[in-house]
Each structure stands twice: as C-alpha cells, then as structure tokens.
Amino acid sequence: MSNLKHSPGSAPRTPDPLRRPGRRQVLVGLAGIAALPVLAACSSDDPLAAQAGNADGKNYIAGDGSVLEIRPDERGEPVQFSSTLFSGEPISTDSLVGDPAVLNFWYAACAPCRVEAPDLQALHEELEPQDVRFVGVNVRDTVATAQAFERNFGITYPSVEDLNGQVLLAMTDYVPPQAVPTTIVLDRQGRVSARILGIAERSTLRTLITTVLGEQA
Amino acid sequence: MSHTDAPNQRQDAELPALGFTGTLRFLWVQLTSMRTALMLLLLLAVAAVPGSLFPQRPAGPGIVDDYISDNPAAGEWLDRFQMFDVYSSVWFSAIYLLLFVSLIGCVFPRAVKHAKALRSAPPRTPRLLSRLPEYGKVVLESTGPSPRDAVDQAAKILKKRGYRIQVRQEAEGNASVGAERGYVREIGNIVFHLSLIGVLAFMAAGSMLSYRGQKILVEGEGFANTLVAYDAFTPGSAFSEQKLNPFSMTLDSFEAEFDRESDTHYGQALDFTAVLGVRHGPGEPEQTTELKVNHPLDIDGVRVYLVGNGYAPEVTVRDGIGNIAFQGPVIGRAEDQVYTSLMVIKAPDSEPDQLGFVGFFLPTAYTGEDGVAISIDPELLNPELNLNSYYGDLGLDTGEPQNVYVLDTDTLTELNSRNLEAGGITLSPGESYELPEGKGSIAFDGVKRFVGLDIVYDPAKWGVGIFAVLAMLALGVSLFVRRRRVWVRGTTDPNGYTTVEYGLLARGESFGLREENVALRRQMERTWPVQAPKDADDAEGGPSTSDYKPPSGHDAHPVDIQAAMPAIHRPPESKPNTTENRPE
C-alpha cells in the first residue's frame, strides 16, 4: 500500500473518498478488532473455574479462604434443618437458636480440614463458656472414620452425619457452602452471619464469632 | 521513503482521506467481504490443528500434566500459548468471533436485499429471446388464440409451475410474460447463515449458563446437588451457586449384565442399570428411577448420565492401638474389561503412624504359575484384595490437596509387598490381616458397587439443536432449489399465425434448464393447436419432446445479466443452445 502516491507539493489536497487508509490507521483498527475477543474472553479470577481444568484428582471442590460477612439487617431467614449426630442423637436448628453457632463442613481425608481442625477445637474450648455452639457436618465419612478423625484431633464438639447431603441441601436456601471445608457462623436467631470458604483461620473465625456474640438475640 | 523525509506531508496525505469513522467503515467492509470470511474459515481450520497435535485439557487434564512434566521447557511455552486449551484459547476465539462478525455483517445486508427482491417484479422481457441459453418457438394454427390470449394462458401455465409472473402488453397486439421462480433458494441460503449465527449464539449462552460436574456414588450413598458434594465441577462463565437446582439422589442399587453366551465376547458388558431415589427438592417425596447408559435422567432440566461404574470394596483399617482408623467403601478404579481395580486406601487418623495401602481389587482372582494374581472375569466370582501397605506421613496434614487415587510413597515406609519378607496382603471377603510390627490390621468386609455420574446442565442445548437442524434444512433448500427465469412472448408472424416464443435462463448453474424447456413445450403443445414445423429453417427453436439432446458447452456461464438485457451484442460462439425440430 503506497502512502506516497502524490509527491509533496503537487499533491491535490482534496480528500479522495476512494483512497485506502494509511498503514497506521489499518494497524490501529486491526489492533482494536483483535482486542475485542480478548476483552470478551477475559476471564475473571474465578477460583472455581480454575479448578475445572485441573487434574489433581483431589475429589472435592476447594475453597480459596474467602470470607463473607453479612450485616445484621441484610441477613436472610434463620437456617432450618434437622439431622442426626454421629452419636445417634437428633439435632435440629431449633436447638441452636438463642446462641451463636458455628457449622463446619468437613471430612477426614480432606487435607485443609485437617489443618483447621486444631484451631476449631481451640476456639470451641475458648468460646464454650460463652455458649457458642460448634457443630461439624461430615459430608463423606462413615461413623468409624469420622470418629477416628475426632479422636486423632481431640475434637469434642459433635458432628452430623451428612453422607446423603440433606444438610447441604437445606443450606442451599441460605448461604450455601461452596467448598470443603466451609465454615458458617450463625447468629443468635439462626441466620447466616458469615461464611469462610476454605481453611478457617483462627483469628478470622474468632472475630466473626465475636461480632455475633456482641449482638442481642 | 522513510518517515523522516516528509512526515508532515505524509500526515496531510493520509488523514483527510479517511477519518476515524472512515477507517472503521473500511475495516468493516474488509471484514465482511467474502474473501476475508473464506480466509478466516481457512485460518480456523489451521488453528484447530494444534488441538489434535497436543493433548487438550478438557479431554484429559491428567495427560496434559504428564506431557508438561515430560517436556518441561517446551511444555511451559506451549501452555503459555494455550496449546493445551486450543478451543477456548484467546487466539482461537478471536478467529471464530471475527468469522461470525464477518458472517453477520454479510448475511444481514443480503437478507435485506433479498427481501426487496421478493417484492420486485420479474425482470423485463429481453428483446431477442432466441439469445437465451434455452429457447423455443411454436407457431399456432389459425384456430389458436390471439398473441395476448396465448400469453395469458402461458402465464397461467407458468404460475402453475411455481413461477411468479408479470404479463406485459406490448405494441401491435403483442404481449409477453416475465416469470421467475426459486426465490426459496436465496431464502434457504440466508436462513442457513442465520441458523449458524443462532447456533453460535446459543452455544455462547450455553457456555455461560451451563455447568457440569462429576460424582461417584457408592450403593447406599446419596448426593445433593451442591458444590460441596461434587468430586469435580466445571462451571459456565456466568455460573453462580444459586443456579444449582436443589435436587438430591441416592443410589439404591446397581446391576451390571455381562455376556455369558457368546464365545467371542464372553464376559463383555451388556447392560448397566442403576436404581436411584430422586428428590426434586428438600422435603419432596422420593421417586425411584432407573438410570441406564445413554438414557440420562432429566431432573428439572439437569441431565444425569451414567458414565462409569466399578467395585468399591469395604474395608476396616485398625491402627496400632486397636482403634478403627478408617472404615467404609473405597472406590476401585477399573483398569480393564475384567474390572481389575486400582485401590488406594489412606488412613490418616491411625496412631501412632498413618497407614496407607496400594494395590488391586480383583473381582475374579486367578493366581498363575508365577504367583501373580489377575482378574479373569468382571463379576464377583472370587473377589480378592491384593495390597501393599505403608506407614509414615501421608502428607495430608500440610493442607495441600492430594489426589485420592495416588499414594505418595516417598515419605512412607513399606510394610508389605512381594519384595519384602512379610509379602503382600491377600484378602478375601471376611478375612483380615495383622500388619507387621504391630502397626495395625486391615479387614476386607465386603464389596459394594459404585456408579460414576456426569451431571450436566445446559439450558441452551435445545437452541443449538434446533438451529443446527434448521441450518441443515436450509442448506438442502439452497442446494436443491433452482432459481430460473422464463419469458414468453406472443406475436403474429407475417403469415398471420400466432407465434409464441419463449426463453429460459438459469441463475447460477443451469442443470435441469433443458428439462424445463421440454416440459414447457409439451404443455404448450397440449394447450394450443401447434403447427407442425414446415422445414428445418423454420423450425429453429424448441426441442422435440421425443428427441432430447443434452445441452452442450456454455450453460453455466454468467450470462445472467447479459441475457436479461433486451438487446445486447453477443459474439457468435455464444449462440443459444437450440436444437432443430426434425420432421418425422
């Protein structure tokens, strides 16, 4: 493409509608067009999507440690479920109302669950005098396997057997767990006030629970 | 010339010619040109090649990881250029998006143009019909109709044959009719292209709204459609947790049927049936359904496919202290037709040392002379566990995710294997084995079956299907419907007889134009008292209905526009394709 068909000076200055555009203009335009699909295809940093093409075979959806905290006036309805503890005792959310509660979704062979277990137990012991209820929800294990875990980590709070996912399903109406482990803090009315996807860091969880403790029922 | 010579003049010479909008318009014209579309199509084909040269993540992420670890230097760079995700790569997307923008920019103006053509009258009657590729002439007896009546009748014949017609009165009592048919061809063409755009639009919608997950379910276990319950999950780009339908299901039982009659295919799988209890939501009643291969369940728009199955031996691992460290079914990954299943058992909660087991589950074990047991049948005729055992740190306590089907033995000490004095562990159902050094024990309690489920939600799939079918139908129409024009003119010859001349023209290729000529002539001969041709000179035009000669030579030329022009100078070699009417 010749840009210099007309020599300077003798060149007619009238715009020629049939002229082809200059190389630079074409390049700028092409760059613009080329950028369109790039923009369209630009992916957000979605930790869930990132696990999709991953061959780690870990067999669970991992969390990224993200924390969601909900202000009292924005919290949803009180969580409702009833199930059975590994000990055979029934448990329902009605029995949790009145005190803050912490739900922890876990199973024994889940590596991050094993990391956070000592912290959860420590917080349980620390906050038990203030009537904070800790309840584990085991999503994979048989009774014996779960009890081995509890024995190993000295877990003293009870866990619900949820191999069939009925508690998980009940939670989908509120703030659903999206990973293993997921830790959910319920306020005194039984509403979800906070959720941690992934390993629950001790001080973070303590802060979230303290917030709820300070609220009136 | 370099930039330094005359930068200002250069600017002056360029910029006034095309402004920003002008440049955009130029690029748009370039993009929507047929040449660019073909280039992009070609480029798309070339860009798809790496997809078959390199392993692709969506097909098998494990193979990609192996490839990268085998070729660390090249693999890293290939990964950087998205060679392992070719079909979702930026550059591949760029090509097909440009292609479809090009397509849209081409099809819509064309559709508008055709809509106008649909409403316009057939083209003017050429002055010399004899110059058209197919031409015929009949002279009527004196009892025949007048030229104008004859043209009216010819118009009716044409209309009946599916032509759009327009009758034109000419001077001296003459008349002509212009007729055209095959508009559907262009409609088919446009619908085809629009359907392709529809397919793309729905595919794009699907890739945004869809999700797909896998779940292994052992008999008696349940699954609730929540993220936590999935083993693996691939969300669409616009996925949110709220989009998961809150259904749940339980695997009640699983049956596999194997061929027991054929000699050649003995033991081959014939049928798999999973019985599932499905709840459409929390608190809903449970419905029992059968799930078979290729017959997915539809649960409120979510499809559940039966894609795999296998055996899950139930084991109990006790630790060195005597407590149960692990109990339950363990998924065995079937490696072959006879379900030789790879087993990995991890007991991270055993004390004092964590225990791990690796080995095979054999549904029908047979020990050969070399002492190695193999499976010889897919059914549970002689189930056996063959395991090696390890103790040490399983590596789970660091919080790093681990493959459940792999036991990393680097940090473990071998307790049982064929190479050690203790030997490997061989267990039949009901048996248990005490590990050496008092590390614990393992018991083989029984065998359950499991199914692998593919859970897919793609709300846009139907749109893709409908448009794909529409595209095929429209393609058929545009390929098989022929677009052609016919003109008929009635005149009075010097002897006072009504003469009807007609000419045919195909748009595009002219297959079948000759047959149309023959058919038209036959109908005219049936309608009017046609004079037998007097001599060869007079009989120029019109094929005899009994004497068909295939058209020769130049039928598919772009004579379209030329022939439609009334009087045009034509070189002698493009003489109309006429045949003589030989008198019997």
Side-chain angles (χ1 to χ4, degrees):
Chain A
M1 188 181 316
S2 164
N3 293 318
L4 297 165
K5 268 188 288 195
H6 311 290
S7 61
S10 68
R13 293 294 160 102
T14 48
D16 177 355
L18 294 177
R19 269 200 63 126
R20 308 176 82 185
R23 181 178 297 144
R24 192 182 306 162
Q25 285 164 295
V26 173
L27 286 177
V28 168
L30 283 179
I33 287 175
L36 287 176
V38 178
L39 292 174
C42 85
S43 58
S44 55
D45 284 331
D46 183 349
L48 184 56
Q51 291 179 57
N54 210 324
D56 53 16
K58 64 186 187 302
N59 255 32
Y60 65 91
I61 312 301
D64 55 354
S66 65
V67 180
L68 170 78
E69 191 171 18
I70 308 168
R71 289 202 329 231
D73 54 331
E74 288 175 359
R75 288 176 200 158
E77 294 294 302
V79 170
Q80 295 281 342
F81 67 80
S82 56
S83 191
T84 315
L85 297 175
F86 277 124
S87 61
E89 289 169 48
I91 181 170
S92 86
T93 41
D94 297 342
S95 64
L96 299 176
V97 173
D99 296 314
V102 177
L103 299 180
N104 176 249
F105 294 80
W106 67 281
Y107 67 94
C110 140
C113 304
R114 303 179 72 81
V115 171
E116 66 172 8
D119 286 338
L120 287 171
Q121 176 60 24
L123 278 176
H124 169 59
E125 286 167 16
E126 177 187 331
L127 297 169
E128 199 170 18
Q130 300 176 60
D131 291 330
V132 177
R133 301 276 302 273
F134 276 68
V135 178
V137 180
N138 187 300
V139 295
R140 295 273 167 109
D141 296 324
T142 58
V143 182
T145 309
Q147 283 171 346
F149 177 94
E150 289 171 352
R151 187 174 56 242
N152 192 12
F153 288 97
I155 307 289
T156 53
Y157 56 86
S159 270
V160 176
E161 194 252 89
D162 197 35
L163 204 54
N164 292 341
Q166 292 309 310
V167 176
L168 281 177
L169 207 54
M171 291 303 295
T172 57
D173 289 346
Y174 311 102
V175 178
Q178 292 186 346
V180 197
T182 290
T183 306
I184 286 175
V185 180
L186 303 179
D187 67 9
R188 291 180 191 273
Q189 298 172 43
R191 302 176 303 178
V192 175
S193 77
R195 180 187 66 184
I196 304 174
L197 299 177
I199 295 175
E201 210 261 321
R202 192 195 295 203
S203 59
T204 310
L205 184 57
R206 186 193 286 114
T207 310
L208 295 172
I209 298 170
T210 311
T211 308
V212 179
L213 266 176
E215 294 165 7
Q216 292 303 310
Chain B
M1 228 190 237
S2 72
H3 286 249
T4 49
D5 277 351
N8 292 329
Q9 284 85 345
R10 196 189 134 116
Q11 290 281 316
D12 289 347
E14 275 175 22
L15 288 177
L18 270 179
F20 181 66
T21 47
T23 307
L24 285 183
R25 186 168 298 144
F26 167 77
L27 287 168
W28 178 252
V29 169
Q30 292 299 307
L31 183 65
T32 54
S33 74
M34 183 60 101
R35 193 178 44 179
T36 310
L38 287 175
M39 277 300 294
L40 286 169
L41 199 62
L42 195 72
L43 207 60
L44 196 68
V46 173
V49 169
S52 54
L53 290 180
F54 302 109
Q56 296 297 298
R57 280 221 170 78
I63 308 168
V64 174
D65 288 357
D66 291 347
Y67 185 92
I68 293 176
S69 58
D70 290 347
N71 310 280
E76 189 195 325
W77 277 97
L78 288 171
D79 200 15
R80 207 163 284 176
F81 288 106
Q82 298 175 298
M83 286 296 175
F84 305 117
D85 300 283
V86 165
Y87 305 111
S88 55
S89 67
V90 168
W91 43 273
F92 194 81
S93 314
I95 296 170
Y96 77 72
L97 284 174
L98 278 177
L99 181 63
F100 270 88
V101 169
S102 170
L103 199 62
I104 291 166
C106 171
V107 169
F108 280 100
R110 205 167 146 181
V112 170
K113 200 177 152 200
H114 188 61
K116 279 180 191 156
L118 275 177
R119 267 175 280 133
S120 63
R124 284 201 290 159
T125 315
R127 202 155 60 85
L128 290 173
L129 291 177
S130 57
R131 288 199 185 278
L132 292 174
E134 286 291 338
Y135 168 73
K137 175 174 154 189
V138 288
V139 180
L140 307 190
E141 301 280 6
S142 50
T143 55
S146 71
R148 284 189 174 166
D149 290 345
V151 164
D152 280 344
Q153 285 165 14
K156 273 184 200 136
I157 291 171
L158 287 168
K159 194 161 191 184
K160 218 173 266 178
R161 293 183 70 81
Y163 287 85
R164 286 160 51 115
I165 52 155
Q166 190 187 39
V167 177
R168 293 127 187 184
Q169 304 303 329
E170 295 179 358
E172 296 161 22
N174 295 343
S176 72
V177 59
E180 183 161 3
R181 63 169 290 178
Y183 292 88
V184 180
R185 181 194 182 90
E186 178 73 359
I187 293 177
N189 202 330
I190 290 168
V191 169
F192 170 70
H193 285 91
L194 289 175
S195 299
L196 286 188
I197 295 167
V199 167
L200 181 88
F202 274 93
M203 275 169 67
S207 77
M208 284 170 72
L209 300 173
S210 67
Y211 63 79
R212 173 184 216 114
Q214 283 77 39
K215 174 66 181 175
I216 282 177
L217 215 50
V218 179
E219 280 174 319
E221 280 185 7
F223 165 82
N225 192 24
T226 60
L227 268 182
V228 172
Y230 280 97
D231 294 335
F233 193 80
T234 310
S237 52
F239 172 82
S240 85
E241 162 80 10
Q242 271 68 32
K243 293 222 173 71
L244 289 176
N245 284 336
F247 70 86
S248 63
M249 54 196 177
T250 316
L251 179 63
D252 294 337
S253 67
F254 176 79
E255 299 279 332
E257 194 189 318
F258 297 96
D259 195 338
R260 294 299 171 205
E261 279 158 23
S262 159
D263 290 334
T264 48
H265 297 96
Y266 185 84
Q268 199 171 58
L270 290 179
D271 194 25
F272 297 122
T273 310
V275 179
L276 293 167
V278 177
R279 271 181 222 274
H280 288 255
E284 302 261 330
E286 191 176 76
Q287 296 166 350
T288 304
T289 349
E290 274 195 0
L291 174 64
K292 283 176 178 286
V293 179
N294 292 334
H295 291 88
L297 281 186
D298 192 320
I299 306 173
D300 307 326
V302 180
R303 297 204 140 209
V304 179
Y305 294 84
L306 178 60
V307 291
N309 67 85
Y311 292 105
E314 294 177 280
V315 298
T316 302
V317 178
R318 284 175 189 274
D319 63 13
I321 298 167
N323 292 317
I324 296 177
F326 175 87
Q327 187 171 51
V330 180
I331 307 297
R333 289 223 295 191
E335 307 275 291
D336 54 27
Q337 290 272 319
V338 288
Y339 286 77
T340 305
S341 306
L342 181 66
M343 300 285 299
V344 171
I345 305 165
K346 296 177 190 179
D349 293 309
S350 55
E351 291 168 292
D353 295 296
Q354 295 185 335
L355 296 174
F357 302 83
V358 183
F360 287 100
F361 168 72
L362 310 171
T364 301
Y366 169 80
T367 308
E369 284 177 12
D370 55 356
V372 176
I374 56 162
S375 179
I376 53 168
D377 196 272
E379 284 195 271
L380 294 173
L381 301 176
N382 180 28
E384 198 176 281
L385 269 176
N386 284 263
L387 299 170
N388 292 350
S389 68
Y390 300 85
Y391 74 94
D393 180 11
L394 294 176
L396 277 167
D397 294 341
T398 60
E400 282 299 307
Q402 232 185 46
N403 191 331
V404 295
Y405 300 114
V406 176
L407 186 71
D408 182 5
T409 55
D410 288 353
T411 56
L412 298 174
T413 311
E414 216 169 24
L415 268 177
N416 285 95
S417 88
R418 274 169 62 85
N419 309 323
L420 295 180
E421 206 181 312
I425 305 169
T426 307
L427 289 173
S428 294
E431 291 181 354
S432 67
Y433 175 85
E434 292 290 327
L435 297 174
E437 303 171 34
K439 295 287 181 193
S441 69
I442 180 166
F444 183 11
D445 303 328
V447 182
K448 282 189 172 180
R449 305 205 60 143
F450 72 83
V451 294
L453 301 177
D454 210 2
I455 298 155
V456 183
Y457 175 66
D458 188 353
K461 192 175 54 185
W462 301 111
V464 173
I466 286 167
F467 276 110
V469 169
L470 198 61
M472 290 313 293
L473 291 176
L475 187 66
V477 166
S478 75
L479 284 179
F480 295 113
V481 171
R482 295 184 175 119
R483 189 154 187 198
R484 44 175 80 121
R485 292 168 175 175
V486 175
W487 292 273
V488 180
R489 174 176 284 125
T491 50
T492 310
D493 77 354
N495 303 325
Y497 296 114
T498 299
T499 307
V500 178
E501 282 181 290
Y502 62 95
L504 292 88
L505 175 71
R507 298 194 65 185
E509 87 300 320
S510 66
F511 304 117
L513 199 61
R514 183 87 185 164
E515 288 87 333
E516 185 71 5
N517 185 349
V518 172
L520 268 181
R521 188 183 185 87
R522 198 181 286 146
Q523 269 191 300
M524 288 177 183
E525 285 173 347
R526 217 178 289 149
T527 315
W528 301 312
V530 174
Q531 287 184 15
K534 274 172 272 173
D535 52 60
D537 261 2
D538 193 36
E540 186 188 295
S544 155
T545 51
S546 58
D547 177 30
Y548 171 71
K549 270 192 201 169
S552 59
H554 61 281
D555 45 8
H557 286 301
V559 288
D560 191 348
I561 302 157
Q562 295 178 0
M565 306 275 242
I568 192 147
H569 178 72
R570 196 94 70 86
E573 66 268 14
S574 60
K575 187 173 179 285
N577 184 15
T578 54
T579 51
E580 292 184 4
N581 220 359
R582 272 178 243 143
E584 307 285 287

